[in-house]
Amino acid sequence: MQMNDAQYWITKLDLAAHPEGGYYKRTYQSEESITDQQLSVRFNGERLLYTSIYFLLQSHDVSHFHRLKSDELWYFHAGSPLTIHVILEDGTYKEVKLGLHLDNGETPQYLVPKNSIFGSSVMEKDTFSLVGCMVAPGFDFQDFELFTQDDLLAKYPEHHAVIQKLAYDKLPVFV
């Protein structure tokens, strides 16, 4: 296995399949937690101050549209550039190129605002992207929401093409 091979990173970093698509592994989490009474975000119980993961996506897969109650900061690490597709709370669509080629309009990090609907795709064929994602307040699956095409097309018909690409036809059942 070589560093330009997705399986190298999946094996070496011990990544597991993620429900939204791709592979991940939690790498860090705060030792402190916070309640929603101290924040403008509403959730049940406490959350860690922050969590961080590696996330790897291959070009034949997508990270399906989902929403978090927290901000998520993305960092580019290796492989091909990644496109983050974001539908902001006001319904505006934004496309961000995450990568190291600044002259091509890429950026090495990007903050996805809380309550945005977002997903991602690899920009080049037959490759992968390895990124890091830090969520604050920390990620909890209770605050993770996936969407179907019907859900999103009813609310954002103007974004039909990207919704068809990144939203599930029907939600998978996770064990």
Side-chain angles (χ1 to χ4, degrees), residues 2 7 10 36 44 53 60 71 76 82 96 105 109 118 126 128 148 152 157 169 175:
Q2 298 178 6
Q7 194 57 50
I10 293 167
D36 64 352
N44 294 325
I53 65 169
H60 64 268
D71 290 336
F76 182 81
L82 182 81
V96 177
Q109 68 181 38
F118 65 103
D126 301 321
F128 69 95
T148 66
L152 295 179
D169 190 28
V175 178

Side-chain angles (χ1 to χ4, degrees), residues 14 163 166 173:
D14 195 27
I163 289 170
L166 294 179
V173 177

Side-chain angles (χ1 to χ4, degrees), residues 5-169:
D5 175 29
Q7 194 57 50
Y8 169 87
W9 295 100
I10 293 167
T11 301
K12 292 291 185 182
L13 296 175
D14 195 27
L15 304 180
H18 196 289
E20 78 193 45
Y23 298 86
Y24 81 109
K25 179 181 181 179
R26 183 174 282 190
T27 56
Y28 299 102
Q29 64 184 35
S30 171
E31 293 182 12
E32 298 181 64
S33 60
I34 194 164
T35 69
D36 64 352
Q37 294 174 348
Q38 298 162 296
L39 302 167
S40 63
V41 176
R42 294 291 164 239
F43 46 75
N44 294 325
E46 294 184 345
R47 295 293 178 272
L48 298 171
L49 286 178
Y50 68 88
T51 56
S52 183
I53 65 169
Y54 285 126
F55 182 67
L56 184 139
L57 193 63
Q58 296 179 73
S59 55
H60 64 268
D61 200 6
V62 298
S63 166
H64 291 86
F65 270 134
H66 60 287
R67 177 170 43 206
L68 300 179
K69 290 182 178 181
S70 301
D71 290 336
E72 184 169 43
L73 189 56
W74 289 58
Y75 303 92
F76 182 81
H77 290 308
S80 155
L82 182 81
T83 302
I84 304 171
H85 305 269
V86 184
I87 301 174
L88 299 166
E89 279 191 277
D90 68 2
T92 304
Y93 171 73
K94 185 172 187 173
E95 187 176 285
V96 177
K97 295 176 180 165
L98 196 68
L100 300 178
H101 303 289
L102 306 182
D103 292 336
N104 293 341
E106 297 171 16
T107 183
Q109 68 181 38
Y110 174 71
L111 178 75
V112 176
K114 66 182 176 184
N115 298 319
S116 297
I117 296 167
F118 65 103
S120 59
S121 58
V122 178
M123 292 173 56
E124 298 172 7
K125 290 185 180 224
D126 301 321
T127 188
F128 69 95
S129 296
L130 175 65
V131 300
C133 301
M134 195 215 42
V135 178
F139 180 85
D140 190 299
F141 273 105
Q142 291 181 65
D143 306 327
F144 175 79
E145 183 180 7
L146 283 169
F147 296 92
T148 66
Q149 292 174 9
D150 289 344
D151 293 336
L152 295 179
L153 288 172
K155 192 164 184 178
Y156 309 107
E158 68 275 23
H159 306 311
H160 182 270
V162 72
I163 289 170
Q164 290 289 111
K165 179 180 178 180
L166 294 179
Y168 281 108
D169 190 28

